[in-house]
């Protein structure tokens, strides 16, 4: 872990669902520079490719090409999350055996209707929180629905998790010590109906698997880190140091998205920019 003098291991973890843009360049550079700030560090590449239908084959190669063109070379072979599903299932089993997750049969529509019927839906930093409908099902109702094969997600029981884990903090190189709010995102989905184990679980399990000492990511993911720290405690995984960096914004002050292709690295390269010129666009 991030002890003074120990080599630093970081990762850049894009989803191959589009071409890289300037926001990714910043994320990759922050991770690369931190890894290289001490002797013996490693900068790893991970493809977060479990998001089923949005993943496209050509984007894996696109990511590699863009990073190499920019001189942001990674160490070793990239890790593909699609090769790791057994590890995520094992982690989910572990949480299931501790009764820390529950199946959720709600459709998006049902959740929306429930919010509409509430005087004030509980709010989180990313929108209204799951109203807890399936948390109220009895064990026999749960078993009946599971036996009937009704499609379901698996949600973290954040209150129960908080009780088991006790008070937690994480350390961020920019923001300092942060106290974990286990209910910040409510009973988050850990396994989706369509793809099974999803982002929060996969990223937590893989950061431990790849022995990442410093997790660097955009500050938009700060709320997610509360969930990941909780999962680390529940699964007995090591605690990395964090660095939540600023985001690259477009002219309207909005976060860049893959759909605004105009700022993709490939487009800038085709327009004749050099790697240095592209990189200088993220230097403030
Ligand atoms: N895959 C995420 C992204 O592209 C980053 C994952 C993480 O750093 O937690 O934004």
């Amino acid at each position: 872990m991030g002890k003074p003098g120990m080599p630093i291991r970081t990762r850049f973890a894009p989803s191959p669902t589009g071409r890289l843009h300037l926001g990714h360049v910043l994320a990759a550079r922050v991770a690369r520079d931190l890894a290289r700030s001490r002797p013996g560090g490693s900068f790893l590449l991970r493809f977060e490719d479990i998001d089923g239908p949005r993943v496209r084959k050509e984007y894996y190669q696109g990511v590699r090409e863009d990073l190499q063109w920019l001189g942001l070379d990674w160490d070793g072979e990239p890790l593909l999350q699609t090769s790791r599903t057994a590890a995520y299932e094992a982690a989910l089993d572990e949480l299931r055996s501790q009764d820390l997750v529950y199946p959720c049969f709600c459709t998006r529509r049902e959740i929306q209707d429930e919010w509409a019927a509430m005087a004030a839906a509980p709010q989180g930093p990313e929108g209204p929180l799951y109203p807890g409908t399936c948390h109220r099902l009895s064990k026999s109702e749960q078993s009946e629905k599971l036996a009937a094969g009704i499609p379901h997600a698996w949600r973290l029981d954040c209150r129960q998790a908080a009780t088991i884990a006790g008070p937690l903090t994480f350390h961020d190189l920019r923001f300092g010590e942060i106290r974990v709010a286990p209910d910040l995102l409510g009973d988050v989905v850990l396994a989706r109906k369509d793809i099974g184990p999803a982002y929060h679980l996969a990223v937590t399990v893989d950061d431990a698997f790849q022995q990442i000492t410093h997790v660097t990511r955009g500050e938009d993911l700060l709320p997610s880190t509360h969930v990941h720290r909780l999962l680390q405690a529940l699964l007995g995984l090591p605690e990395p140091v964090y660095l939540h960096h600023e985001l690259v914004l477009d002219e309207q002050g909005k976060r860049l998205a893959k759909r605004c292709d105009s700022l993709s690295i490939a487009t800038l390269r085709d327009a004749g920019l050099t790697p240095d010129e592209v990189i200088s666009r993220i230097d403030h």
Side-chain angles (χ1 to χ4, degrees):
M1 281 229 315
K3 307 252 163 46
M6 293 282 283
I8 292 180
R9 282 169 77 84
T10 62
R11 83 308 194 269
F12 173 54
S15 302
T17 52
R19 291 304 296 248
L20 295 188
H21 56 60
L22 286 177
H24 294 107
V25 178
L26 177 62
R29 208 176 61 152
V30 167
R32 196 274 315 260
D33 289 353
L34 188 58
R36 304 283 183 247
S37 67
R38 282 187 211 157
S42 304
F43 166 56
L44 308 181
L45 175 60
R46 176 161 80 222
F47 285 108
E48 303 215 324
D49 58 349
I50 49 176
D51 193 0
R54 296 198 308 138
V55 170
R56 294 240 304 266
K57 242 193 182 149
E58 62 269 28
Y59 293 136
Y60 294 83
Q61 191 50 30
V63 168
R64 286 165 181 267
E65 266 172 36
D66 291 344
L67 288 178
Q68 279 164 342
W69 181 74
L70 289 162
L72 293 167
D73 293 283
W74 61 94
D75 298 312
E77 274 305 301
L79 183 73
L80 266 56
Q81 289 200 320
T82 41
S83 71
R84 300 266 306 138
T85 42
Y88 311 147
E89 288 291 353
L92 187 61
D93 275 348
E94 166 73 27
L95 296 172
R96 227 183 258 129
S97 72
Q98 295 183 51
D99 224 5
L100 292 170
V101 289
Y102 61 90
C104 173
F105 305 91
C106 293
T107 60
R108 198 166 293 209
R109 187 63 212 255
E110 284 165 344
I111 295 174
Q112 277 162 355
D113 287 350
E114 184 130 1
W115 283 330
M118 293 168 93
Q123 290 294 323
E126 295 169 358
L129 302 177
Y130 178 63
T133 324
C134 286
H135 191 254
R136 293 188 284 273
L137 292 177
S138 68
K139 286 278 171 221
S140 64
E141 284 170 321
Q142 270 182 15
S143 315
E144 254 170 55
K145 286 179 186 283
L146 287 174
I150 301 175
H152 57 280
W154 287 90
R155 288 183 181 273
L156 178 68
D157 182 341
C158 70
R159 292 228 181 95
Q160 183 64 10
T163 310
I164 303 286
L168 295 168
T169 57
F170 57 90
H171 186 76
D172 184 282
L173 294 177
R174 191 167 150 227
F175 298 112
E177 207 71 5
I178 297 182
R179 189 191 299 263
V180 171
D183 53 357
L184 190 62
L185 296 182
D187 286 355
V188 283
V189 168
L190 297 186
R192 279 176 21 189
K193 279 180 192 174
D194 53 346
I195 61 163
Y199 170 67
H200 294 300
L201 195 57
V203 78
T204 306
V205 168
D206 282 346
D207 283 335
F209 176 70
Q210 292 189 290
Q211 299 177 294
I212 300 302
T213 60
H214 293 66
V215 170
T216 61
R217 54 163 72 118
E219 62 190 13
D220 55 327
L221 288 171
L222 195 47
S224 294
T225 300
H226 291 252
V227 177
H228 304 171
R229 184 69 199 97
L230 188 56
L231 290 173
Q232 285 154 12
L234 299 172
L235 294 166
L237 302 176
E239 176 195 350
V241 174
Y242 288 89
L243 172 57
H244 293 88
H245 58 77
E246 283 178 66
L247 302 177
V248 180
L249 304 177
D250 66 12
E251 283 97 55
Q252 282 84 49
K254 288 220 297 279
R255 181 183 158 210
L256 297 184
K258 282 191 182 130
R259 55 188 176 277
C260 42
D261 208 31
S262 56
L263 290 176
S264 81
I265 308 313
T267 308
L268 297 173
R269 181 179 53 208
D270 293 347
L273 271 74
T274 65
D276 281 349
E277 284 167 341
V278 171
I279 289 199
S280 74
R281 290 212 173 184
I282 57 166
D283 288 328
H284 312 276

